[in-house]
Amino acid sequence: GRPRLRANASAEWRRGPWQLGAATRHIARYRYLQPIDNAPRTVASWTVLDLSLAWQGPGDRVSLMLVNATDRAPPFRSIGAGYDFQAMH
């Protein structure tokens, strides 16, 4: 199975040389059949928050980005790798 809903949202604020941003990514829960016993399983939804801060000077730009600021691990799916990277991207 594949998630039926994926959503992205972002906001940005600028004032003078400063820029502050936030972005969120959401993947809805979904169901799949476990190949070993053909039993239905559910993978939990996953929401990630990214934050950014930048300063623009004369000829220079300094940026910091915090990816997955809440440090949430992706939901586990019982496959060989343990995580369903294909559904996350």
Side-chain angles (χ1 to χ4, degrees), residues 75-86 88:
F76 183 79
R77 177 174 170 176
S78 183
I79 60 174
Y83 297 97
D84 189 359
F85 292 104
Q86 204 171 30
M88 289 188 289

Side-chain angles (χ1 to χ4, degrees), residues 36-55:
I36 296 170
D37 57 6
N38 212 27
R41 303 275 198 267
T42 300
V43 175
S45 64
W46 190 44
T47 302
V48 176
L49 174 67
D50 300 331
L51 301 172
S52 63
L53 175 67
W55 176 82

Side-chain angles (χ1 to χ4, degrees), residues 1-20:
R2 295 261 186 208
R4 294 174 88 179
L5 173 68
R6 295 173 191 233
N8 297 310
S10 62
E12 187 176 283
W13 175 79
R14 293 177 188 224
R15 183 168 189 137
W18 294 97
Q19 178 181 337
L20 180 65

Side-chain angles (χ1 to χ4, degrees), residues 5 7 24-29 43-48 68 70-75 87-89:
L5 173 68
T24 186
R25 299 182 309 263
H26 175 77
I27 301 173
R29 71 183 177 116
V43 175
S45 64
W46 190 44
T47 302
V48 176
N68 192 5
T70 58
D71 200 26
R72 284 203 55 207
M88 289 188 289
H89 300 286

